[in-house]
Each structure stands twice: as C-alpha cells, then as structure tokens.
Amino acid sequence: MASPTIVSKLPDVGTTIFTVMSSLAAELGAVNLGQGFPDFPMSEELVSLVDGAMRDGYNQYAHMNGWGPLREVLAEKIASLYHTTINPDTQITITPGGTYAIYTALTTILRPGDEVIVFEPAYDSYIPNVVTNGAIPVRIDLRFPDYRVDWDEVRRKVTPRTRLIMLNTPHNPTGAILRPEDIEQLKSIVKDTGIFIHCDEVYEHLVYDGLPHTSILRYPELMERSFVSFSFGKVYHCTGWKLGYSVSSPELMREFRKVHQFNCFSCHTPSQVGLAKFLTNKETYLSLSAFLQKKRDFFAGLMAATKFTPLPSFGSYFQLYKYDRISDEPDRDFSIRITREYGVATIPVSAFYIDGKDDRVVRFCFAKKEETLEKAAERLIKIN
Ligand code: PMP
Ligand code: GLN
C-alpha cells in the first residue's frame, strides 16, 4: 500500500540552539546564561490580577482581536511613549507571543518568490518564517563588531522583487539598536516602492545608557507599510505566558486578522484581563530599563575579571563577548565545551547566521538574579 511521503518545507532546519543549549545546561546542571529568559520572579501583583480574573469568571474566549481594555491601554501607552495615535480597534491585535506576531505578519504579506531582506545575525525564527511562506531570504551581514546596518549594501540588494525588510531593535543577539539616522536611510530606501517593513521590538523597554528606543511607531509615514511585533513575556518576565501583540495600519491589520482568526483565533483571556489592569501603572514598564541596566553593569563588572572581552550592548537581555584571549575554537565547540567543563551555558552567535558565519563570539543573557550571575562568573574566571 502506498504511504504518504512528507516533503519538508524546512529541510535544513534542526532543533533551535536555544533548546539545544538549555537541554545541555539542564542535563549537566550548568548555570544557564544561554536561552533568553529571566530566572527571577515576575510581579506578584500581576499574578494576583490574572488569578483574580480567573476567579471573576473571565474564562471564555476573548474577542479575536484581543481583550478590548488591553488594546485600549496599549494605545495609551504607545501615545505617551511614541507620540502617535494608534486606534486600538483597528490597529492592534493581541497574539500568543511575539514569535506568532512575526510569523503572522510575514504570512499576511509574503507571496512565493518575494524577496525579503534579513540582517544577520538574525533571530532564529525569521529566515524559516520567510522560507515557509515560499519567499526568498536576501541576507545582509550587520557590520562586525558594532553590528550597524550598511545601508549602501541594502540599496545594492533591493530589486523589483523586494517585498519586505526585517528589522529588530533592540537587537537579539547583539544588543545593537537602530538610531534616528538609520530610520532616515530606511525611509529614503522604501519611499515610492512597494516594500513593507517588519520591526521586531520585543525588547522595546530594554534600552540603556539613557538612549531612546527608536520605535517604528514614531514614524507615521512608515506605519502604512509596517508591522511592529511586541511580547508581554519579555516585558513582564513571564516568557512562558506566550502573549504579545502586533501593531500596524488599519489596512494591513485587516489582512493580518484574516490569517490570525483561522490560526489561533483568540488568546488566553485571564492573562489579558490582568495585563489590562497592570499596564495602567506606567511604572510597570518605565522601571524596566534601569532594572535591567543594573544587571548588565553588574555582570560586566564581574566579567572584567575573566578573559572574555565584551562588545558594546545598548539594549536587550544580551551581551556578546569575544573569547579570542582564551581559544580559537569555533564558537559552537567553545560553547559546548565551557558548558561541559566549566558549567556555564551560552549561545554561539554563529547559530544566528544561516551559513554559520563565526566571528568567535558568544552571547550571555544577563536577565538573571545577581547570585546566578555571580555563580557563573566564579566559574568563568577559571577559564584561561
Ligand atoms: N523576537 C526576538 C528578537 C526575541 O528575542 C524573542 C524572544 N524569544 C521573540 C521575538 C519572541 O517572543 P515571544 O517569546 O513572545 O514569542
Ligand atoms: N528569545 C529567546 C532567546 O533568544 C529564546 C526564545 C526561544 O527559545 N525560542 O534566547
């Protein structure tokens, strides 16, 4: 009897490096500074609000676009932070996480054969999302070691088939951020073209040293062609809740919702009810930058006693380190070896390049308790 043969849509994709390194860390009992998630507790108040919502009976489907009061409070937040008016009814959709928001935006826009400009190192879901939609990733390396965009190269790679440019600020894994001058370059490239923009801003509040977050939402003239993706998991230290949102123009959002309604349809109701109340206190997000910057600086202080050399990080949960004073091993081998021999897990940055480009740098997540960072540093100091 004939049996079906699956033809993989993603033949070259294995298990994501985050799972690989977290599993290795768990197996070996290593300190896990690899996968990006906090190990400190989330807000008790937010937990009580969600618990209260369940007890108050908010346990049935929410509206497919998301719980109304949550979208309203998000529109208020966007108005106060980014000085723009976003209509909560037509321009915001709550999603099960930032990853889903990104995937849905791409599925909404892309047709087979479209070209998509992706900067590498790239968050690991971007290129597979492009490929699953039958589109073609056009890869451009961010400039090592500051990881800024080379806009002249972007101009050279734009063709009549270019459909989308994918951005991420603050950037995972490098901690680089887009500056207003980058946006001016972007504007001049997309002007009078059919090019869409996706900007991943899941680390919007994690920008340091007093620098502003250059959100695409600040630029109404770009919003007619943009989707911007966010994650509550990253903002409120609850990555396991998998809740986020997408913001776009009314026209683009209408199409996004057509894809969304037949995929997840609506998201976990009590979390949305709890978040709607929690977000009315602006301090819950305004305090994040100082809180995480303190961790970044604390970790940097500890790491100064090791042979790792930091690259600058202006945002996100992450700090890259070169290890050229320790070894010239490929980064994947090095990460696995220090997890096994010294008990600290990191992420090799080559995993963020399709061709495995290896600048011999590893990524550390500093969104951890001070004691976790101290324990890691005590072990890393022993490497020479
Ligand atoms: N984009 C980037 C750059 C991320 O680092 C993450 C975090 N894992 C996401 C998107 C996904 O967020 P979520 O966990 O809400 O899906
Ligand atoms: N964003 C997280 C990171 O970069 C991990 C999310 C995931 O495991 N997919 O580490």
Side-chain angles (χ1 to χ4, degrees):
M1 226 175 68
S3 53
T5 309
I6 181 86
V7 179
S8 177
K9 287 197 169 182
L10 296 170
D12 303 323
V13 166
T15 304
T16 141
I17 190 70
F18 307 124
T19 301
V20 170
M21 293 310 294
S22 280
S23 305
L24 187 65
E27 180 193 318
L28 300 171
V31 181
N32 189 356
L33 302 190
Q35 193 176 23
F37 62 89
D39 72 343
F40 41 84
M42 62 171 294
S43 156
E44 274 292 335
E45 187 194 342
L46 178 52
V47 171
S48 314
L49 286 169
V50 176
D51 176 65
M54 282 191 254
R55 291 179 198 287
D56 290 343
Y58 291 101
N59 297 308
Q60 308 310 327
Y61 293 129
H63 191 282
M64 61 163 264
N65 300 339
W67 175 245
L70 178 56
R71 284 182 283 124
E72 276 162 30
V73 77
L74 287 172
E76 282 161 26
K77 173 181 136 174
I78 291 168
S80 79
L81 290 181
Y82 305 127
H83 315 295
T84 191
T85 305
I86 290 291
N87 182 329
D89 290 331
T90 56
Q91 294 187 259
I92 302 177
T93 300
I94 309 297
T95 62
T99 311
Y100 173 103
I102 299 165
Y103 184 81
T104 307
L106 267 60
T107 302
T108 303
I109 294 169
L110 297 176
R111 297 278 173 282
D114 286 345
E115 291 178 3
V116 180
I117 292 185
V118 184
F119 298 102
E120 289 191 312
Y123 183 57
D124 70 342
S125 74
Y126 297 171
I127 289 178
N129 283 186
V130 170
V131 172
T132 311
N133 281 292
I136 300 156
V138 174
R139 298 180 287 122
I140 295 180
D141 286 351
L142 295 171
R143 282 185 320 223
F144 183 77
D146 65 1
Y147 296 101
R148 301 288 304 266
V149 175
D150 179 344
W151 292 104
D152 289 333
E153 188 173 355
V154 178
R155 281 193 180 81
R156 287 196 296 276
K157 295 255 171 93
V158 166
T159 77
R161 288 178 304 282
T162 306
R163 189 78 171 152
L164 175 68
I165 298 179
M166 295 194 70
L167 299 166
N168 172 208
T169 187
H171 186 257
N172 180 5
T174 67
I177 55 172
L178 289 179
R179 318 282 172 138
E181 57 268 31
D182 292 307
I183 303 296
E184 292 312 312
Q185 295 274 1
L186 176 68
K187 277 193 208 162
S188 79
I189 289 172
V190 298
K191 190 165 183 289
D192 299 327
T193 72
I195 300 174
F196 292 98
I197 297 163
H198 177 273
C199 195
D200 177 343
E201 301 187 13
V202 300
Y203 299 105
E204 69 177 319
H205 300 299
L206 308 184
V207 186
Y208 311 126
D209 306 318
L211 291 163
H213 169 50
T214 308
S215 175
I216 291 290
L217 297 175
R218 291 180 189 271
Y219 302 90
E221 65 274 42
L222 289 179
M223 281 310 289
E224 64 179 13
R225 56 173 85 238
S226 300
F227 281 103
V228 190
S229 299
F230 297 92
S231 165
F232 292 111
K234 293 291 175 186
V235 175
Y236 290 127
H237 318 312
C238 51
T239 58
W241 284 18
K242 293 301 297 185
L243 209 60
Y245 55 103
S246 175
V247 183
S248 189
S249 68
E251 194 191 353
L252 294 183
M253 191 48 80
R254 201 175 310 123
E255 292 303 314
F256 179 102
R257 288 172 176 175
K258 289 182 190 172
V259 179
H260 165 71
Q261 76 176 332
F262 297 124
N263 192 0
C264 111
F265 175 66
S266 74
C267 301
H268 192 249
T269 306
S271 307
Q272 295 186 66
V273 175
L275 279 164
K277 289 203 180 122
F278 194 62
L279 267 146
T280 57
N281 177 0
K282 292 185 178 179
E283 267 314 295
T284 61
Y285 51 86
L286 294 180
S287 58
L288 284 163
S289 165
F291 176 68
L292 264 298
Q293 180 172 328
K294 201 163 155 233
K295 292 197 179 290
R296 182 198 64 169
D297 294 345
F298 180 72
F299 185 57
L302 296 170
M303 289 294 281
T306 71
K307 290 179 98 178
F308 288 86
T309 314
L311 296 180
S313 167
F314 301 100
S316 83
Y317 277 172
F318 308 113
Q319 174 82 57
L320 299 189
Y321 278 89
K322 295 203 295 180
Y323 55 87
D324 55 345
R325 292 192 292 150
I326 300 171
S327 147
D328 62 2
E329 285 160 280
D331 64 358
R332 204 174 263 265
D333 295 352
F334 179 75
S335 286
I336 291 174
R337 184 171 69 80
I338 64 163
T339 311
R340 288 194 188 286
E341 292 181 6
Y342 294 91
V344 180
T346 59
I347 300 289
V349 173
S350 64
F352 296 81
Y353 291 89
I354 282 292
D355 63 4
K357 179 172 184 278
D358 184 356
D359 291 311
R360 307 295 202 258
V361 277
V362 289
R363 187 193 82 176
F364 289 87
C365 172
F366 54 76
K368 304 288 174 188
K369 292 187 258 198
E370 288 195 352
E371 68 208 61
T372 308
L373 298 173
E374 275 166 346
K375 194 165 160 194
E378 272 163 29
R379 296 173 181 197
L380 295 169
I381 284 166
K382 296 189 187 130
I383 309 178
N384 49 60

